[in-house]
Amino acid sequence: MKYTIDQNGYYGKFGGAFIPELLHPPVEELKEAFYAIKNDEDFKESYLNLLKDYVGRPTPLFYAERLSKKYDAHIYLKREDLNHTGAHKINNTIGQILLAQKMGKKEIIAETGAGQHGVATATVCALMGMECKVFMGEVDIERQAPNVARMKMLGAEVIPAKSGSKTLKDATNEAIRFWINNPSTYYIIGSVVGPHPYPEMVAHFQSIISEEIRTQLFEKTGKVNPDAVIACVGGGSNAAGAFYHFLDEQVDLIIAEAAGHGVETGKSAATSILGTEGVIHGSKSLLMQTEDGQIVEPHSISAGLDYPGIGPLHAHLIETKRAKVFAITDQEAVDAAFDLSRTEGIIPALESAHAFAVLEKISFKNQTIVINLSGRGDKDLSTYMKFL
Ligand SMILES: *Cc1c(COP(=O)(O)O)cnc(C)c1O
């Protein structure tokens, strides 16, 4: 089985580029520019220099001793929570802003739901002196006020999406509409979704996570491969990065997705179980939709997992049974967040907490496992406080 992308931008039967005619030229331009830098040493050096001095990489691989005792396993945490801006998303925005710069772009657009990707984009735009517009649903602007303030502080313009449910999918539609009318703009997509080459490009820029895990695990254990890697999946970028260098290895890949109130309750974001094949945001994948193809509003306590689709790579990993999926409820994620906080002194993002909840679902007796701690929990304190 092959897990890399094929020439037409497909992982198995998922992926591709389902875009309006008017976007063909800018997407083609992007594809050429990305493949020109993908294996370019100078580009990689600029990218790694910024990751080191600006983002704070490599992030540590921490042996969680008390958690390991509790679950009778050897548990390592990949500390993406220690990145500048608090999550893995900056790895991708650093890569894409360097590419935009190389392409001579002056204006950046992005979509955001929870605001995390918006903040990561506004951050790198400030760093590079580029103009930044972030599209965000009107409802999300109200729900995520602190991140809206951060984006504005960083000099970005936050543009409300007022159509539909006024959330992420509407913000994405607005961003695409803007791009059609302004094809010289660079559109930074925040996860492994969107038309080819975005899923591959974002996975490429996030693959630094598993590249570091291999080196760090070898230093600590003498082996480059763990028995399993666990990551949460919204669109799938942190998981793609954590899985990347293990795709063809003897390593179990475990996805934690958001079950919300429960898979059967109608208030869920468990795309792998509830999703069917369709086109979302320019690629063919699994998505939650009605019989006539309307997107079903997802629900998760964690804004970053509250997405009705999943990237094409993950759809392929799930369909071929290369990856195992566990659907984690809101309550299970909150319990896991409290458990990690009190066992290891680390408050995780609600998204990341879903990955830790998998520890309660299967036994990893004596196994070496890596959990991708995709972000820190400061942004979620108002939610956690309701459970104190
Ligand atoms: C955005 C976000 C996610 C979900 O996005 P992916 O693309 O699936 O990684 C997960 N964790 C954190 C901390 C996030 O900010």
Side-chain angles (χ1 to χ4, degrees), residues 87-89 116 190-191 232-239 304-305 349 351-352 374-375:
H88 66 288
K89 288 202 171 72
Q116 295 299 106
S191 190
C232 65
V233 167
S237 68
N238 86 86
L305 303 186
E351 292 84 0
S352 322
S374 56

Side-chain angles (χ1 to χ4, degrees), residues 64-73 75 335 339-340 343-344 359-360:
E65 200 170 326
R66 284 181 12 99
L67 202 65
S68 295
K69 276 220 179 76
K70 177 169 175 185
Y71 290 101
D72 201 10
I75 303 173
D335 290 346
D339 191 42
L340 181 67
T343 312
E344 297 292 345
L359 293 170
E360 288 285 330

Side-chain angles (χ1 to χ4, degrees), residues 3 246-249 251-253 317 320-324:
Y3 303 106
F246 301 116
L247 287 170
D248 297 315
E249 304 288 321
V251 177
D252 289 342
L253 306 178
L317 293 177
T320 58
K321 303 206 159 39
R322 174 67 186 90
K324 243 189 244 135

